[in-house]
Amino acid sequence: MYNIAIVGATGVVGKKMLEVLKTHNFPINNLKLFASEKSVGKKIHFDGKEILVDIVRENSFIDTDFVFCSADSSVSKIIGPSVRNAHSILIDDGNAFRMDSDVPLIVPEVNSQDVDWHKGIVSIPNCTTTPLVMVLHALKGFSNIDRVNVSTYQAVSGAGAQAVKELEDQIKKIASNQKPINDVFPHQIAMNVIPQVDSFEKNGYTKEEMKIVNETKKIMHDEELLISATCTRVPTIVGHCESVNVTFSDEVDLEKIILILEKQQGIIVRDKTDFNNYPTPLNSTLDDNVYVGRIRKDLSNKKGLLFWLVADNLMKGAATNAVQIAETIIERNKVSY
Ligand SMILES: NC(=O)c1ccc[n+]([C@@H]2O[C@H](COP(=O)([O-])OP(=O)(O)OC[C@H]3O[C@@H](n4cnc5c(N)ncnc54)[C@H](OP(=O)(O)O)[C@@H]3O)[C@@H](O)[C@H]2O)c1
């Protein structure tokens, strides 16, 4: 049994983390919940107990085994050293440490062995990278991957609780003929699609797009992989979608590829176009799977494949992956370091 802390327990990922810990039957001895000052004293029910939310204090992690952080990167950077000093393990949902050379970036189905070299901090990838690498990893069972080009259609919950509220408020304002207000996103998101997730880099890509590029290479141990991305925000609440174009070293064999995907743990093929059956955010969320559909040959390239995927950004994209990392650390006997 393990002592657990969740930092950011009142956010969209933190709340999902509580659900996933429960459904995974994670062996919890003691659970501490932390958030910002404004949430101190809030009561959260877990497993028949009422837990009071607190702010992180000097000795908060002294007796914890795992600290799940789903707060801003600035919070992760502050708590990282104290988690390490307490010989606890930080499993971090944010961007603070993902590309650090001494921090494993883990999707257990792809690179579980990388937890072996953790030094007290393990990161989960961005919520668009995780489902993408799961499918790319499976596709490597067909042929070497030379090139990947991905466009994303990301739900507002990927930007946190305030972003969900912003979309809901805008829909209500539009319905009552009032002018919608935008604070979280750079433009109105209701009735719109915004080709910007996070801020822009000098190379014309957004930080979110570069996260997909850099994180995919790190997780797949393939610095030479040719990959580029376009990320968009769409007015859905949960479920990130991705349209993916992969180029293999060999000519595409659709039957073989579909068999490989169907056999992969955590991937569900939903691809019956005769019945208009393919993944959408409404039919392919609220569980831990990555759904793949619209699988077809690239008409412009015999070695090219096109497909569409959907995954729940709060579950496999965040909370589930974090809990699975803790489970992997336990399985591989790496809780002590
Ligand atoms: N949303 C996703 O799909 C997703 C997916 C993968 C990774 N992530 C990452 O997960 C993290 C959380 O995202 P989210 O979407 O859950 O955001 P969110 O809904 O805005 O939640 C943020 C949480 O952080 C807490 N917090 C704020 N300041 C704090 C402080 N100084 N000390 C402790 N806690 C503090 C907030 O507490 P209050 O309620 O008291 O303000 C809240 O619980 C981010 O790093 C994000 O990049 C998110």
Side-chain angles (χ1 to χ4, degrees):
M1 302 282 269
Y2 298 92
N3 294 334
I4 306 290
I6 300 178
V7 180
T10 52
V12 285
V13 175
K15 284 180 185 162
K16 194 56 85 173
M17 191 81 74
L18 289 161
E19 276 176 43
V20 174
L21 285 168
K22 187 85 192 80
T23 51
H24 280 225
N25 227 349
F26 195 87
I28 298 177
N29 179 42
N30 183 45
L31 177 63
K32 294 182 189 173
L33 303 178
F34 300 100
S36 78
E37 208 129 354
K38 78 169 198 247
S39 298
V40 172
K42 266 190 190 165
K43 292 169 187 162
I44 293 184
H45 291 268
F46 182 81
D47 212 13
K49 290 183 201 126
E50 199 175 71
I51 303 172
L52 283 181
V53 176
D54 200 358
I55 50 164
V56 173
R57 297 170 197 279
E58 208 182 320
N59 291 330
S60 290
F61 307 124
I62 213 82
D63 53 358
T64 54
D65 298 296
F66 293 103
V67 178
F68 294 102
C69 184
S70 58
D72 193 69
S73 301
S74 56
V75 177
S76 306
K77 282 187 180 149
I78 295 167
I79 67 168
S82 53
V83 175
R84 268 180 167 155
N85 287 342
H87 287 279
S88 179
I89 299 172
L90 175 63
I91 299 181
D92 191 41
D93 276 329
N95 192 29
F97 309 108
R98 284 182 190 146
M99 295 312 294
D100 288 9
S101 58
D102 63 346
V103 174
L105 181 64
I106 303 287
V107 176
E109 293 86 344
V110 179
N111 63 334
S112 57
Q113 72 286 356
D114 284 344
V115 300
D116 292 359
W117 48 269
H118 83 80
K119 295 178 178 61
I121 301 178
V122 180
S123 276
I124 76 152
N126 180 265
C127 41
T128 47
T129 308
T130 301
L132 178 66
V133 293
M134 285 205 30
V135 180
L136 295 181
H137 178 70
L139 290 175
K140 275 175 68 181
F142 168 69
S143 165
N144 184 50
I145 294 174
D146 290 336
R147 184 180 157 271
V148 179
N149 191 5
V150 55
S151 295
T152 70
Y153 304 77
Q154 299 178 219
V156 294
S157 60
Q162 282 302 110
V164 175
K165 188 171 179 307
E166 181 154 306
L167 173 59
E168 288 170 349
D169 286 350
Q170 288 182 358
I171 291 169
K172 283 180 203 151
K173 291 244 175 190
I174 290 166
S176 57
N177 274 328
Q178 289 175 276
K179 192 173 162 33
I181 297 161
N182 58 293
D183 281 327
V184 178
F185 298 114
H187 298 276
Q188 176 184 319
I189 183 64
M191 317 288 181
N192 207 1
V193 173
I194 303 174
Q196 177 187 356
V197 180
D198 211 330
S199 54
F200 283 97
E201 302 265 25
K202 284 198 180 112
N203 65 0
Y205 285 79
T206 61
K207 285 194 173 132
E208 187 86 347
E209 289 159 354
M210 294 315 297
K211 283 178 216 164
I212 294 182
V213 169
N214 296 323
E215 293 174 15
T216 300
K217 290 179 181 184
K218 178 169 177 175
I219 297 162
M220 297 188 71
H221 299 158
D222 187 356
E223 277 308 309
E224 304 306 314
L225 181 69
L226 299 173
I227 172 166
S228 59
T230 301
C231 293
T232 76
R233 186 74 69 188
V234 296
T236 52
I237 302 282
V238 178
H240 287 355
C241 311
E242 304 182 27
S243 169
V244 190
N245 183 190
V246 170
T247 308
F248 295 104
S249 302
D250 297 297
E251 232 174 81
V252 162
D253 179 332
L254 268 189
E255 258 177 51
K256 266 194 195 161
I257 286 173
I258 289 169
L259 265 180
I260 286 171
L261 290 175
E262 281 174 341
K263 279 191 190 148
Q264 183 69 25
Q265 193 200 344
I267 293 179
I268 295 192
V269 174
R270 172 171 269 161
D271 197 15
K272 299 229 179 318
T273 46
D274 294 354
F275 301 95
N276 302 333
N277 191 359
Y278 35 72
T280 71
L282 290 183
N283 69 16
S284 302
T285 50
L286 303 179
D287 69 24
D288 293 342
N289 297 303
V290 177
Y291 289 83
V292 184
R294 300 297 321 280
I295 305 165
R296 60 209 192 276
K297 289 181 179 178
D298 182 343
L299 294 178
S300 68
N301 177 2
K302 283 182 179 162
K303 296 178 179 175
L305 179 78
L306 297 169
F307 62 90
W308 170 257
L309 71 81
V310 178
D312 189 317
N313 51 295
L314 302 177
M315 296 193 74
K316 188 57 194 171
T320 300
N321 203 46
V323 171
Q324 286 172 333
I325 289 171
E327 290 167 341
T328 306
I329 291 170
I330 295 168
E331 269 162 34
R332 295 180 75 88
N333 209 11
K334 295 289 171 189
V335 180
S336 303
Y337 63 97

